[in-house]
Amino acid sequence: MITGKLLRDAFISGANGIANNKKSVDELNVFPVPDGDTGTNMAMTTSNAVAELKHLKDDCTAGEAAKTMAAGCLRGARGNSGVITSLIFRGFSKALKGEDKCDSETLVKALELGVEGAYKSVMKPTEGTILTVAREASEKAREVSRTTNDPVLIWEEVCRAAEISLENTPKLLPVLAKAGVVDAGGKGICVIFEAMLHTFKTGEILESTADKNEPVVTVETFADTVGKFDSEITFTYCTEMLITKKKDCADPSKLRAYLETIGDCVVVVDDDEIIKVHVHTNDPGLAIQKGLEFGHINLPKIENMKLQHENAKKQADTPEFKPVKPDKKYGFVTVAAGKGIEDMFADLGADCIVKGGQTMNPSTDDILKAILACPAKNVFVLPNNKNIIMAAEQAMKLCDDRKVVVLQTRTIPQGISAMLAFDPDADTKSNISAMTAALEGVSTGTITFAARDSDFEGHNIKKGEILCMDNGRLSFVEKDLAKGAFKLTKKLVKGDSSFVTIIYGADVTEEAAEALAEQVRNKYGSIDVNLINGGQPVYYYIISVE
């Protein structure tokens, strides 16, 4: 039997395992476009549950551990791989509801329910992915359970079957075989399962070796966080600690007196056994060193207040979403990155804009907060990226006080066209039909750079080369950005095309963008060409043709 404590620790190990190996999983992505990579998305998804899991006491039930893991993963789910991972653990929550411990049958059922939920969430499941690996591992679990009732032995076979399935993924997906790699999502779930097995067998939590100083990209830190420091902050570091007093501890007032010589905002609270310390200082090391003279240091925390202040200033135009009561008929939540694009959606009537996109997939919880902050009884959600649609759909399921519709917008131009087709006087069903028809009539070209060397669909791609994509598929590779942009536009324009919109990004000058627009106008005199400064990251150009 697996106790609640053991299951809790196994879940933490799973999160640590994928966090430790996220870079190696990221590197398996065969498509060289910079994106929210698979390993990173899975690590951020599972790590979202760790803090709450650590708060569970050792006498927690298996049901409580599973529920906590599932809830944390679901709300933190990022990208398709993250959502699928969260749904696998949701199966554990369903199977273990009300259970004190986890026996072999419940463990098998948990994995089966997780796989079932994951497959149902995908409109067109692709074999040779994380889905296949999880399913075949689940099938092996059921098979082995007929000969043993030891859950640890069953989980060993789950891990073994998952690895075998992973090795077979290139046979199911030719693109993997050509690149000489296995599926990234499948590898990620193998890493998580193996880390859980470590705890099941040893009783110990797999140590996290992830770099604690590595910057984690979140929706809140999507924008550049480099800026000038505010001169009003005299002491940079907010330093806090708990000190367990030693037997011959000196008077804590002496500690307070010292801290006042190296900083300000000093608070020293003296209790029978502990001293709680707070100070703003430019040298937190001195504060901690002095604290050690009074006893043992527990839970030290050091935060750079200048960076915190600068980030807050940069995000002033993106207030935290707060729930509101729906008081109007229709509203929109859209995902976008780049001031020009965000302004465009706002002008079209978007109520809440979630910062995110290709390099940062917002979580289910990020989107849910925006939905709840939208003051409408009927909320249309525009993901504007294929890797964000699943998270948006999960957010929709978590909202019960208003009707939510997730439109299948995979690009920014599709989102814009959908909003332009909206009729405030029409009913919801008619609007869904009209907006869907509008977004499906848009051809989108995107131009970005290769984040890594790759051999993809017959293209020998070198890092830094220009990738020109036609409706999400790699069309050709160029070395010259201007040449590639014009060539891609020509491929997108058809005989019945009437409008071309060129949205240029943060790394393109206005002069270069104007030159491209003029070149297109000269080529197609009868077509309206609109140029917009989108300010988006990652994509040099987003080109739509209607």
Side-chain angles (χ1 to χ4, degrees), residues 37-310:
D37 283 322
T38 300
T40 298
N41 279 341
M42 294 178 76
M44 293 181 75
T45 296
T46 54
S47 295
N48 195 65
V50 170
E52 290 302 319
L53 286 168
K54 287 182 176 179
H55 284 147
L56 290 178
K57 296 181 179 179
D58 287 351
D59 62 354
C60 69
T61 67
E64 290 168 344
K67 181 180 179 180
T68 302
M69 178 65 171
C73 287
L74 179 59
R75 290 185 173 271
R78 298 175 189 271
N80 293 345
S81 57
V83 172
I84 290 171
T85 301
S86 75
L87 290 170
I88 289 171
F89 286 110
R90 191 178 181 189
F92 280 76
S93 181
K94 288 181 177 180
L96 286 161
K97 184 176 181 180
E99 297 293 333
D100 184 47
K101 297 180 179 179
C102 178
D103 60 19
S104 58
E105 175 57 28
T106 311
L107 183 65
V108 173
K109 189 63 177 176
L111 198 50
E112 288 176 339
L113 288 173
V115 170
E116 180 183 340
Y119 266 87
K120 284 181 178 179
S121 71
V122 181
M123 191 173 297
K124 295 180 180 179
T126 301
E127 298 299 341
T129 64
I130 181 176
L131 291 171
T132 308
V133 174
R135 175 177 56 77
E136 293 185 345
S138 173
E139 291 169 351
K140 187 65 174 181
R142 174 57 65 191
E143 176 188 329
V144 175
S145 70
R146 299 188 182 101
T147 58
T148 180
N149 61 0
D150 185 335
V152 178
L153 288 179
I154 290 174
W155 200 254
E156 276 189 299
E157 292 301 321
V158 163
C159 293
R160 190 172 291 114
E163 287 291 346
I164 293 172
S165 180
L166 177 67
E167 294 304 315
N168 286 333
T169 55
K171 297 177 183 178
L172 299 174
L173 278 180
V175 67
L176 297 176
K178 190 165 186 179
V181 297
V182 294
D183 178 68
K187 177 62 176 178
I189 205 65
C190 284
V191 168
I192 292 171
F193 286 173
E194 284 286 351
M196 291 174 64
L197 178 62
H198 167 83
T199 298
F200 288 152
K201 294 178 74 172
T202 68
E204 298 178 356
I205 296 176
L206 182 70
E207 182 181 356
S208 173
T209 59
D211 185 0
K212 300 296 189 302
N213 296 316
E214 181 182 352
V216 177
V217 182
T218 68
V219 170
E220 289 71 28
T221 59
F222 189 84
D224 179 18
T225 56
V226 178
K228 295 180 180 179
F229 290 152
D230 194 305
S231 59
E232 292 181 0
I233 298 179
T234 305
F235 296 99
T236 303
Y237 299 101
C238 175
T239 305
E240 297 179 2
M241 56 185 154
L242 286 176
I243 303 172
T244 301
K245 292 181 180 179
K246 59 184 182 182
K247 289 184 178 180
D248 55 346
C249 178
D251 187 343
S253 63
K254 294 181 179 179
L255 175 59
R256 179 185 294 107
Y258 172 77
L259 294 176
E260 288 173 347
T261 68
I262 63 169
D264 64 8
C265 298
V266 176
V267 177
V268 176
V269 180
D270 180 22
D271 199 357
D272 290 340
E273 297 180 356
I274 64 169
I275 306 168
K276 183 171 177 58
V277 176
H278 174 281
V279 60
H280 294 174
T281 178
N282 285 327
D283 197 334
L286 291 177
I288 291 175
Q289 191 65 39
K290 190 67 176 180
L292 286 170
E293 296 179 14
F294 293 78
H296 304 293
I297 301 293
N298 300 303
L299 302 175
K301 184 175 74 170
I302 302 170
E303 294 179 332
N304 187 319
M305 295 185 296
K306 289 183 178 179
L307 287 179
Q308 288 178 324
H309 179 71
E310 190 60 26

